[in-house]
Amino acid sequence: MTEPARAIHGTLIHSSSPTQLQILPDTLITISSSGTILSLQPNVSSSSVSTVLAEKGIENVPITVLSPGQFLIPGFVDTHNHAPQWMQRGLGQGMHILDWLDGITFPNEAKFADASHAEEVYAKLVRGMLRQGVTTASYYGSLHEEATHVLASTCLKGGQRALIGKCNMDRNSPSFYCEASAEESIAATKSCIRHIRTIDPRGSLVKPVLTPRFAISCTAQLLQSLGEMARDDPLLAIQTHFNEAAQEINATLSLFPEFKNEADLYSSFGILTPRSILAHCTIMTSYEIKKLHDLGCGVAHCPTANMTVGGGFMAAPVKEFLRRGINVGLGTDSGGGYSSSMLNAMRHALITSYARDALYPKYEQEKDRNVRKEEEGSEGEALSLEEVFYMATKGGAKVVGFDEQVGEFAVGMEFDALLVDMQDERNGVNVPLDEDGDSAQRMLEKFVMTGDDRNIVQVYVKGRLVHSEGVQGL
């Protein structure tokens, strides 16, 4: 029998479905030394914690009792993040996507040819992401083999759960930032996969992910080779950009004139599978939405980036994805998005859904009468706080393939968690708690809508404390 390493008593909040929160008050949770949740018992009074543990035969373990204004939530999952862009966040806002890549991003990412630069930046990245409660991230690296090794090793050392992908780019990029051939790109990709599986053989924290940047920067030969790798290795996830902006879509289809849409293009190369993480998906036809559903692909919704870089205010049809049963998570797309905060991603997901609800009712944006007819009488496009919280936690875990380990609190799951503290002593600018006491749901809403990293006082990954803001560890 596995012995518990610690016990915690307090309020836990997680998603039981995309539209429902489960609030577990006065809950006693025990966690093993390996970071697995051993037991979960709600409605245990503070005075009876020791008695309940003794009845379970659990003795001599540290017990932490959360204070009023504190609660635990699952760690945040960032389903789309460009690791080498940590230093360029906020630059080039308002630019069209291809101009932004040429003018801002490619020169910055080219610096990662220097492994020492990668070591310096990636250490800052992992610290900064953990501080903001991102316990799991799906990272695009640069195209450099050694720098991608550094990214994987840094995540493992820092204790962050992550998918790590070397970017594949063998055309339509500047000479100083482009791979010489598809063969060279595939060889470097295989080296990165070997490195990741060597440093973490069981994939307990870091796993490899195939990462064609997008079809514009990949030859047909490279896309075909990556699709074959995905087919031959069922453990490999795939991530790419999909229908991000009008400029990108037009450029993509001009390079592949035999296709009328990106869904058919990518699926022809074997890139669309149940292990695919498709970033953005802002301009979608009903045909493409159905195809993503039928192929089991996941969507990384990046509302901050879609409002600030790309060329226009783009509001992805997230509500329709959810209605169709497509898995959706949130991504910061740092630095396409200026913010690496998942709290901002949740807020912006709400805002863009409200805009879509007001500006594009019944899919007026697509002029698709069949979809409008099909959705007649539907509940509209606006998301709820429950839905964006789900996408930031459990939904995101499903998209990146970690949902059997994390995303909720349950016996057998791993303890990836944030201790949130909304008390005035945190010196944050969040809405203060009511003197008579807020309900747990009101505290969560105040945190999501007005909190920041000052309210995230402890961060745990697989039971390990990976960030603390000067309070006693659990």
Side-chain angles (χ1 to χ4, degrees):
M1 178 180 176
T2 304
E3 294 296 327
R6 65 176 63 88
I8 308 163
H9 181 261
T11 297
L12 281 62
I13 306 174
H14 66 183
S15 295
S16 58
S17 76
T19 57
Q20 291 184 318
L21 295 172
Q22 185 175 27
I23 297 173
L24 303 172
D26 294 322
T27 297
L28 180 61
I29 181 173
T30 60
I31 303 154
S32 74
S33 57
S34 62
T36 301
I37 298 173
L38 295 176
S39 65
L40 196 71
Q41 186 171 344
N43 300 313
V44 175
S45 66
S46 299
S47 60
S48 60
V49 168
S50 298
T51 301
V52 172
L53 289 175
E55 290 173 350
K56 294 177 177 289
I58 300 173
E59 298 178 348
N60 301 319
V61 298
I63 302 172
T64 299
V65 178
L66 303 188
S67 302
Q70 295 181 336
F71 54 91
L72 289 173
I73 61 173
F76 293 141
V77 180
D78 188 341
T79 60
H80 181 65
N81 186 287
H82 289 271
Q85 295 177 16
W86 184 254
M87 302 296 284
Q88 69 173 73
R89 289 170 295 150
L91 300 180
Q93 301 293 282
M95 295 177 69
H96 282 267
I97 185 65
L98 300 184
D99 303 322
W100 175 80
L101 287 170
D102 287 336
I104 304 293
T105 300
F106 291 158
N108 171 70
E109 291 191 11
K111 297 177 183 178
F112 287 77
D114 180 354
S116 63
H117 178 72
E119 290 174 355
E120 178 182 353
V121 173
Y122 289 155
K124 295 176 181 178
L125 161 79
V126 172
R127 284 197 304 269
M129 295 290 277
L130 289 173
R131 175 173 181 160
Q132 295 178 99
V134 178
T135 54
T136 300
S138 189
Y139 284 128
Y140 285 55
S142 64
L143 60 74
H144 308 103
E145 177 182 338
E146 189 174 358
T148 305
H149 291 187
V150 170
L151 175 59
S153 297
T154 304
C155 288
L156 185 63
K157 180 180 178 181
Q160 187 180 39
R161 198 181 299 272
L163 294 180
I164 308 291
K166 188 207 81 66
C167 229
N168 299 107
M169 305 167 57
D170 69 338
R171 68 164 174 176
N172 289 331
S173 302
S175 58
F176 60 82
Y177 193 59
C178 187
E179 294 172 295
S181 66
E183 291 85 358
E184 176 187 284
S185 184
I186 292 297
T189 297
K190 290 180 177 178
S191 170
C192 291
I193 292 171
R194 285 194 299 271
H195 173 77
I196 293 167
R197 289 176 170 171
T198 297
I199 64 174
D200 191 358
R202 298 178 62 185
S204 60
L205 279 184
V206 294
K207 297 180 181 181
V209 53
L210 300 175
T211 309
R213 189 175 205 117
F214 54 5
I216 293 173
S217 63
C218 296
T219 60
Q221 180 185 353
L222 180 52
L223 290 173
Q224 185 69 38
S225 297
L226 291 168
E228 291 171 357
M229 288 179 66
R231 180 198 63 201
D232 295 340
D233 189 339
L235 297 180
L236 278 175
I238 315 167
Q239 60 183 355
T240 194
H241 298 81
F242 189 92
N243 283 10
E244 181 174 1
Q247 186 188 43
E248 171 267 319
I249 294 171
N250 292 336
T252 300
L253 297 182
S254 72
L255 294 169
F256 294 89
E258 65 272 31
F259 297 102
K260 295 182 179 180
N261 59 74
E262 290 194 8
D264 288 342
L265 188 165
Y266 282 110
S267 64
S268 74
F269 291 108
I271 302 298
L272 302 187
T273 78
R275 292 167 280 132
S276 297
I277 306 164
L278 304 180
H280 304 297
C281 301
T282 61
I283 304 172
M284 301 288 292
T285 64
S286 57
Y287 172 82
E288 289 180 295
I289 293 174
K290 184 178 186 302
K291 188 147 190 170
L292 296 196
H293 168 267
D294 292 346
L295 294 172
C297 304
V299 171
H301 176 41
C302 306
T304 305
N306 297 152
M307 292 191 292
T308 54
V309 168
F313 184 100
M314 295 169 290
V318 176
K319 194 75 172 185
E320 176 63 6
F321 295 151
L322 295 175
R323 279 194 288 261
R324 296 288 186 98
I326 295 173
N327 290 328
V328 183
L330 291 180
T332 62
D333 194 19
S334 173
Y338 64 86
S339 171
S340 56
S341 166
M342 288 294 290
L343 289 171
N344 276 342
M346 282 188 271
R347 295 162 193 163
H348 293 158
L350 289 172
I351 291 168
T352 56
S353 76
Y354 300 157
R356 186 175 175 87
D357 192 57
L359 298 176
Y360 310 117
K362 310 299 184 187
Y363 292 93
E364 188 64 25
Q365 183 187 33
E366 296 178 25
K367 305 294 184 182
D368 188 325
R369 295 185 179 183
N370 291 329
V371 172
R372 294 205 303 274
K373 183 177 180 181
E374 179 180 323
E375 293 303 315
E376 195 70 41
S378 70
E379 67 270 32
E381 299 299 295
L383 296 168
S384 66
L385 183 132
E386 289 81 3
E387 286 170 317
V388 299
F389 181 77
Y390 173 87
M391 290 189 287
T393 55
K394 189 173 182 177
K398 285 188 175 184
V399 169
V400 300
F402 278 112
D403 53 303
E404 292 185 1
Q405 290 86 30
V406 300
E408 62 180 315
F409 299 118
V411 173
M413 301 288 280
E414 295 175 4
F415 187 69
D416 283 20
L418 313 182
L419 173 56
V420 177
D421 190 340
M422 296 294 286
Q423 299 175 100
D424 288 343
E425 288 78 3
R426 296 310 310 161
N427 295 318
V429 292
N430 56 275
V431 174
L433 300 180
D434 291 339
E435 292 182 3
D436 296 333
D438 281 315
S439 67
Q441 184 156 349
R442 285 175 63 89
M443 286 194 294
L444 177 67
E445 187 171 0
K446 287 183 176 182
F447 169 61
V448 170
M449 300 309 299
T450 71
D452 57 34
D453 58 277
R454 286 169 291 189
N455 301 109
I456 302 173
V457 297
Q458 291 180 340
V459 180
Y460 288 81
V461 177
K462 204 175 181 182
R464 171 188 170 189
L465 179 65
V466 292
H467 173 75
S468 178
E469 286 288 345
V471 297
Q472 184 179 357
L474 298 181

